[in-house]
Amino acid sequence: MDLIPDPRRAWPAQPGAGVFPLDGETVIEAQPGTEGVARWFRTAVGTATGLPFADDAGVVGAEDNRIVLGISPDIARELGPEGYRISVDAEAIRIEGGAAAGVFWGAQTVRQLLGPDAYRRAPLDPAREWSVPMTLIEDAPRFGWRGLMLDVSRHFMPKDGVLRYLDLLAAHKLNVFHFHLTDDQGWRVEIKKHPRLTEVGSWRSRTKWGHRASELWEEKPHGGYYTQDDIREIVAYAAERHITVVPEIDIPGHSQAAIAAYPELGNTDVIDTTSLTVWDTWGVTANVLAPTDNTVRFYEDVFEELLALFPSTFIHVGGDECVKDQWKESPAAQARIAELGLADEDELQSWFIRHFDRWLAERGRRLIGWDEILEGGLAPGAAVSSWRGYAGGIAAAKAGHDVVMCPEQQVYLDHRQAAGDDEPMPIGYVRTLEDVYRFEPLPPELTEEEAAHVLGTQANVWTEVMHDSSRVDYQVFPRLAAFAEVAWSDLPAPAERDFADFEQRMTEHYRRLDALGVEYRPPGGPLPWQRRPGVLGRPIEGAPPNV
């Protein structure tokens, strides 16, 4: 059936089973709690097929021509809330889930069974006959956190592009969208109490073209931001697809855009912060937040508005790559270290994180940050995104903290996909489709009890050299399909995985991506217009370390 991710169990409903035809008389019976799935099915699949999929209420004679959506306590017990069972026989397509999310993932599988043209935005042939093979499928995810992080700070992605990516996540049964909204190069979310964050911080005068060592510049302003209504729309759109949006506001490093907007947030006793602008190049800047009460109150304002926009339990505070040189030189920072009885600048960063961990916990939320938040001591309720390798996640899990595994060496999709010179602006290690398919999120060093702290896994997409959606597509796909199977399916050990079978199933999946308009990297290498000759990257040779 060429399904991706590969389901746990699938078999024909009966020997020599045929197909269940869909036509203009096919109705949807949406049992309580599944109305949203029915609405999505009519919108997405109905648009592609041209079929109305009417509500079964009051329809006479449709007993043997229906799609039945239901929530089953038995499936919830056996397979969990995201588990589902599909049964297709001569009378109906039945999709049962442990909760509405499970029904939705089952509906995504039925869409795959309909063929690649079910992913288009209009029917190619109004007279076409549609059918689903008679089959039984039982399926459930391995991990509860199956995420993609998208950086919209380095290069802004307009709202419609974000909505499109939510659809792409849903099509691959990914359920977390980590929304990287702020960094040195741009602030992307409206904060009404502090309007200069977007008035000043959302755009830069020019942009480095390629790696930061490149001599090329794109000499035009770059910017954009999401209004609070845009954010509400994005969050609602994601929720309809059973995707949680986890926002990230970076503190105390990666904050130059905020300091450019409000210079008093920086270390004013070390540098003239009024001279700072939104950063126009890449890398790690020394300009970090000052550890003052004013800074803390400012970011409490920011998070207060953020909590009203994002219902996610987890709020990401960054916490990575905080260069502490200015704190070492700052009399005010050193006085704060002494006042708080801290040992050093690492503990000062920990003080920042611990404050917001308590602040978020008091409001029923949980802090999550990059694995540098382990330095100087981690707040008890905080969770860790392990990006520098496995080590941070292993240490956090052993200490009883929840972890999302997203090691740079394995699942940073901005890393290049092949060793050839044709790869556009090549960054990092070679991470092929097969490499991603053989990624294992769960480190063998963890005991069963410790492994229970691994919430799941996430692929990260940093957009320094991705200036538009075509470049994002090229880096993300087709590798996101391999990652989605790793996150969802109960695969054997990496060396034992059947990549040949996955490649064979990808043949059909490429046709789905084509129908969706995804500008993926073809298996044979980049197309002429996907290359960027003469633009400097930063390839790293050799296999990535397993750290």
Side-chain angles (χ1 to χ4, degrees):
M1 288 183 285
D2 294 333
L3 298 176
I4 291 177
D6 199 24
R8 287 191 181 185
R9 292 180 290 276
W11 56 92
Q14 58 192 43
V19 298
F20 180 90
L22 299 175
D23 56 34
E25 304 303 316
T26 305
V27 299
I28 294 181
E29 178 187 334
Q31 296 174 0
T34 68
E35 296 85 356
V37 181
R39 183 168 56 249
W40 172 85
F41 196 91
R42 290 189 185 98
T43 300
V45 181
T47 296
T49 61
L51 303 177
F53 298 117
D55 192 305
D56 79 321
V59 177
V60 178
E63 290 78 9
D64 59 353
N65 190 7
R66 63 180 56 223
I67 300 170
V68 181
L69 309 177
I71 295 173
S72 164
D74 290 341
I75 291 178
R77 284 191 295 270
E78 296 170 19
L79 300 174
E82 291 190 284
Y84 67 87
R85 180 182 295 127
I86 297 172
S87 173
V88 186
D89 56 28
E91 295 181 354
I93 299 172
R94 294 179 177 85
I95 309 173
E96 295 180 290
V103 180
F104 181 72
W105 303 130
Q108 290 285 357
T109 298
V110 168
R111 190 185 192 187
Q112 289 198 23
L113 293 172
L114 282 165
D117 288 342
Y119 290 82
R120 297 189 179 274
R121 295 191 181 185
L124 302 185
D125 178 4
R128 172 175 174 168
E129 295 181 354
W130 295 88
S131 63
V132 174
M134 293 186 185
T135 187
L136 289 170
I137 297 173
E138 285 187 350
D139 200 9
R142 180 185 181 193
F143 293 108
W145 184 301
R146 307 179 303 280
L148 177 76
M149 192 245 29
L150 180 64
D151 165 25
V152 296
S153 179
R154 275 50 178 271
H155 279 99
F156 179 66
M157 179 177 284
K159 180 191 69 177
D160 285 354
V162 174
L163 299 177
R164 172 177 175 264
Y165 257 81
L166 291 171
D167 280 327
L168 292 173
L169 263 64
H172 292 82
K173 297 187 175 70
L174 298 175
N175 67 345
V176 175
F177 180 61
H178 176 169
F179 208 6
H180 184 80
L181 288 164
T182 74
D183 218 297
D184 301 305
Q185 295 85 1
W187 184 285
R188 304 295 180 214
V189 56
E190 177 188 26
I191 302 298
K192 293 184 182 293
K193 192 166 184 179
H194 300 295
R196 285 176 59 84
L197 286 170
T198 47
E199 291 170 1
V200 174
S202 70
W203 68 277
R204 56 184 181 264
S205 61
R206 64 175 186 169
T207 299
K208 177 65 74 172
W209 182 241
H211 183 255
R212 62 179 176 269
S214 167
E215 297 181 355
L216 302 176
W217 293 87
E218 188 175 39
E219 296 285 356
K220 66 178 183 180
H222 177 87
Y225 68 92
Y226 310 102
T227 68
Q228 293 199 356
D229 280 347
D230 290 337
I231 294 293
R232 292 184 183 97
E233 180 182 356
I234 288 167
V235 169
Y237 195 85
E240 288 183 347
R241 287 147 184 80
H242 298 275
I243 295 169
T244 299
V245 183
V246 176
E248 179 180 350
I249 301 293
D250 241 318
I251 57 170
H254 285 295
S255 300
Q256 185 165 321
I259 298 168
Y262 291 93
E264 64 270 23
L265 297 174
N267 294 282
T268 57
D269 56 346
V270 176
I271 63 162
D272 177 11
T273 56
T274 63
S275 67
L276 294 178
T277 60
V278 178
W279 214 23
D280 56 13
T281 189
W282 319 125
V284 181
T285 177
N287 296 305
V288 302
L289 297 175
T292 65
D293 291 338
N294 174 67
T295 299
V296 169
R297 284 194 297 269
F298 183 97
Y299 275 87
E300 286 177 352
D301 292 341
V302 169
F303 284 114
E304 197 76 63
E305 294 192 28
L306 212 69
L307 297 192
L309 297 171
F310 293 94
S312 166
T313 298
F314 286 98
I315 303 295
H316 208 291
V317 301
D320 62 316
E321 297 179 325
C322 179
V323 179
K324 301 176 177 67
D325 294 348
Q326 290 182 357
W327 289 352
K328 292 176 181 177
E329 298 173 20
S330 164
Q334 292 302 311
R336 176 49 63 100
I337 289 173
E339 173 195 341
L340 297 170
L342 305 177
D344 53 23
E345 291 77 18
D346 282 344
E347 287 196 6
L348 185 59
Q349 176 173 349
S350 178
W351 167 79
F352 253 109
I353 301 302
R354 284 174 179 269
H355 173 85
F356 283 101
D357 178 70
R358 290 191 300 270
W359 189 91
L360 289 167
E362 288 168 0
R363 289 154 180 81
R365 307 299 183 95
R366 289 187 65 189
L367 180 146
I368 185 169
W370 303 111
D371 54 54
E372 285 96 329
I373 68 173
L374 291 163
E375 298 167 3
L378 184 57
V384 170
S385 299
S386 187
W387 77 272
R388 290 181 294 180
Y390 288 101
I394 292 169
K398 285 182 176 294
H401 295 282
D402 287 340
V403 176
V404 175
M405 285 294 184
C406 48
E408 172 188 15
Q409 301 84 355
Q410 312 298 328
V411 287
Y412 267 35
L413 299 186
D414 39 299
H415 283 212
R416 58 196 173 127
Q417 301 183 65
D421 294 336
D422 287 341
E423 292 305 308
M425 303 185 212
I427 299 296
Y429 299 103
V430 172
R431 293 286 84 194
T432 65
L433 183 68
E434 182 172 0
D435 290 331
V436 174
Y437 190 68
R438 298 194 189 280
F439 163 60
E440 173 50 50
L442 207 57
E445 295 92 332
L446 298 180
T447 66
E448 185 176 348
E449 182 180 358
E450 293 163 350
H453 285 290
V454 178
L455 301 175
T457 183
Q458 178 174 290
N460 293 342
V461 183
W462 301 101
T463 62
E464 285 92 339
V465 299
M466 300 181 213
H467 56 282
D468 58 25
S469 62
S470 296
R471 281 288 288 121
V472 176
D473 278 7
Y474 180 88
Q475 292 300 132
V476 171
F477 290 98
R479 293 183 295 181
L480 192 69
F483 173 79
E485 185 149 311
V486 168
W488 178 280
S489 303
D490 193 13
L491 298 175
E496 299 168 9
R497 293 176 188 173
D498 190 347
F499 180 69
D501 173 73
F502 177 77
E503 270 194 312
Q504 185 276 320
R505 287 182 284 121
M506 277 300 298
T507 302
E508 182 78 351
H509 200 66
Y510 285 121
R511 296 179 60 209
R512 297 180 192 121
L513 296 178
D514 287 333
L516 286 164
V518 176
E519 299 182 69
Y520 58 85
R521 181 190 187 275
L527 300 169
W529 56 87
Q530 292 175 319
R531 300 167 189 161
R532 296 290 182 273
V535 183
L536 186 68
R538 188 180 70 94
I540 304 174
E541 301 304 329
N546 189 13
V547 294

